[in-house]
Amino acid sequence: MRADPDRAFGVQAFGVYVHWPFCLSKCPYCDFNSHVRHAAIDEDRFARAFAREIETTAQRIGPREVTSIFLGGGTPSLMQPSTVGAILDAIGKHWRVAPDAEVSLEANPTSVEATRFRGYRSAGVNRVSLGVQALDDVSLKTLGRLHSAQEAMDAVAIARSAFDRYSFDLIYARPGQTPAMWEAELRRAIGEAAEHLSLYQLTIEAETPFFALHRAGKLQTPDESASRALYDVTQSVCAELGLPAYEISNHARPGAECKHNLVYWRGQEYAGIGPGAHGRLDIGGTRYAVATEKRPESWLMRVEASGTGVVTDDRLNSEERADEFLLMGLRLAEGIDPRRYQALAGRSLDPSRIAILREEGAIIVDADGRLRVTQAGFPVLDAVVADLAA
Ligand SMILES: C[S@@+](CC[C@H](N)C(=O)[O-])C[C@H]1O[C@@H](n2cnc3c(N)ncnc32)[C@H](O)[C@@H]1O
Ligand code: SF4
């Protein structure tokens, strides 16, 4: 049997992702697995189901040391702190949790949710990620957000007082946004962000209200060259102010990167718990791509009946694993180790393709052999990956 390439490359992280699938309202740009319910949600019932699915997953894969936990959504900050506590306790009951594990929770920056931050900290959360999205009320209204800019900044201040680590998200390339406007907003944002910012270009997702508006010409987004200018502003301002990109949309002070998201991008192992969660599990030297039922109530019934909501459970062959490694790893500023690709794929990357992409300025190869996408290459990342994987 071939040696496990992860072990050969010292990759030992294990993350647990838990999905809370409910929101107070559906934002018109969002295609995440999030649902609005007008009746009260039975959090205790969900907490029991989360615990059950954690137990089933632990029985399947065996002992692990959890290095990061991420409660994402949806809007996890709608959960009571006791629900979060019950989920974290269940994880700790079935796996060992590393003493320095990162435990993040995604929060919407409304005043109601911010009142729960201290409760989350007592439950074991040590990092929050706030969906601020924009620093002006007109943009927030366009994005369909329920909070004002002031409310978001107040929530950031509460996060700062409750947690050593926090991050927030902004969406840029919004309708009518110029590079100068974005630069001013970004400089203000960095003044508020201690160590980490996620900066996403607005994507028009199929089957969202924004998609229909965009198609009807009622929502104008920046064209390719304007988007490129906005992207370049993002990179230069963040680098100048000490938060360089460590991933295509994520910026941090060195050492403050989100450990959990690094698990995904470095191709490490993680369990996905809750409705519509994805996982990558390593069992007996084989990697499985696992996903659960998306509809919250159907997921609940499946878990109550059988202990798991898993509906997709695919063994990845070496080619699929290697492609995924490339796709995720090249998003990172640190790039990839081509020897790990070789260990996974059983073949090396094509030197002639590497040479062409280097000549085009899309990638560089470091002195230590790591292959990285350049700032010029990031806007065409998909094409770079497709070329290397071919
Ligand atoms: C799924 S949301 C969860 C966080 C939380 N519910 C919130 O909205 O504040 C995670 C992040 O994805 C980003 N996002 C969602 N849809 C997007 C889109 N169509 N384009 C760009 N960013 C998007 C937003 O910045 C959001 O904060
Ligand atoms: S962006 Fe966040 S709050 Fe809005 S619908 Fe998506 S998950 Fe819910």
Side-chain angles (χ1 to χ4, degrees):
M1 195 174 102
R2 200 146 46 94
D4 179 346
D6 276 354
R7 284 185 196 279
F9 288 91
V11 177
Q12 287 300 315
F14 175 63
V16 180
Y17 176 78
V18 181
H19 192 78
W20 183 254
F22 301 111
C23 293
L24 285 184
S25 67
K26 185 83 191 174
C27 303
Y29 53 84
C30 177
D31 79 339
F32 281 76
N33 186 33
S34 61
H35 306 261
V36 178
R37 296 286 179 265
H38 298 294
I41 289 148
D42 186 344
E43 289 194 28
D44 288 343
R45 192 172 164 200
F46 270 92
R48 284 193 297 276
F50 283 124
R52 183 100 194 270
E53 191 164 62
I54 289 162
E55 182 183 3
T56 308
T57 310
Q59 281 166 353
R60 179 173 183 203
I61 66 174
R64 291 288 188 278
E65 182 176 67
V66 177
T67 49
S68 65
I69 298 171
F70 196 99
L71 298 136
T75 307
S77 53
L78 294 175
M79 274 188 272
Q80 293 303 322
S82 57
T83 307
V84 171
I87 295 169
L88 298 181
D89 286 351
I91 294 171
K93 187 171 156 199
H94 297 288
W95 288 300
R96 182 182 133 78
V97 178
D100 62 347
E102 175 189 271
V103 184
S104 302
L105 177 137
E106 257 176 359
N108 280 27
T110 73
S111 50
V112 179
E113 288 158 273
T115 58
R116 301 191 191 112
F117 286 0
R118 286 185 192 281
Y120 294 142
R121 191 186 62 186
S122 305
V125 172
N126 55 30
R127 180 179 181 274
V128 282
S129 171
L130 294 144
V132 170
Q133 319 307 2
L135 296 186
D136 72 278
D137 288 342
V138 174
S139 299
L140 288 171
K141 200 157 181 255
T142 309
L143 292 171
R145 301 294 291 181
L146 298 178
H147 53 88
S148 66
Q150 187 56 51
E151 209 178 353
M153 285 305 106
D154 292 347
V156 168
I158 296 170
R160 186 182 296 128
S161 70
F163 298 98
D164 289 340
R165 300 187 61 198
Y166 68 93
S167 171
F168 61 86
D169 299 354
L170 293 176
I171 295 180
Y172 71 101
R174 305 189 302 256
Q177 195 176 35
T178 64
M181 285 158 72
W182 172 230
E183 177 168 351
E185 185 175 7
L186 192 51
R187 285 183 184 276
R188 266 183 67 206
I190 294 173
E192 297 285 343
E195 56 161 33
H196 191 285
L197 270 181
S198 300
L199 303 168
Y200 301 112
Q201 289 216 18
L202 176 63
T203 311
I204 304 297
E205 304 286 0
E207 289 173 36
T208 60
F210 266 21
F211 185 80
L213 284 173
H214 190 251
R215 203 176 35 190
K218 293 180 183 158
L219 183 81
Q220 310 281 351
T221 48
D223 63 16
E224 205 176 302
S225 80
S227 290
R228 180 64 207 265
L230 290 161
Y231 174 81
D232 288 344
V233 163
T234 310
Q235 303 313 306
S236 58
V237 171
C238 288
E240 176 200 326
L241 298 180
L243 271 83
Y246 68 97
E247 188 266 349
I248 192 160
S249 305
N250 282 275
H251 299 255
R253 299 203 186 281
E257 298 84 2
C258 174
K259 266 195 200 180
H260 185 80
N261 286 336
L262 284 174
V263 165
Y264 304 145
W265 298 318
R266 287 180 175 159
Q268 295 163 332
E269 186 186 24
Y270 58 97
I273 306 293
H278 290 249
R280 291 289 181 274
L281 301 176
D282 295 330
I283 304 162
T286 298
R287 172 153 289 200
Y288 291 81
V290 179
T292 57
E293 162 64 43
K294 286 177 86 169
R295 288 163 301 172
E297 291 74 16
S298 309
W299 171 84
L300 197 58
M301 285 191 290
R302 277 178 181 270
V303 176
E304 287 173 348
S306 69
T308 173
V310 168
V311 290
T312 304
D313 200 358
D314 296 331
R315 289 169 84 106
L316 295 184
N317 64 30
S318 53
E319 193 74 11
E320 290 166 331
R321 258 203 95 171
D323 284 351
E324 199 165 87
F325 169 70
L326 211 54
L327 187 72
M328 300 305 274
L330 287 177
R331 298 173 64 103
L332 288 169
E334 69 184 23
I336 58 143
D337 183 341
R339 289 168 306 172
R340 188 165 171 225
Y341 177 88
Q342 189 173 352
L344 289 167
R347 66 175 171 95
S348 53
L349 291 164
D350 181 347
S352 63
R353 286 179 191 272
I354 293 179
I356 294 170
L357 287 167
R358 282 176 82 172
E359 223 164 85
E360 290 171 356
I363 60 168
I364 51 174
V365 179
D366 282 347
D368 61 0
R370 291 189 76 85
L371 197 148
R372 297 193 286 118
V373 174
T374 61
Q375 194 174 321
F378 270 124
V380 290
L381 179 63
D382 290 349
V384 173
V385 172
D387 207 5
L388 284 171

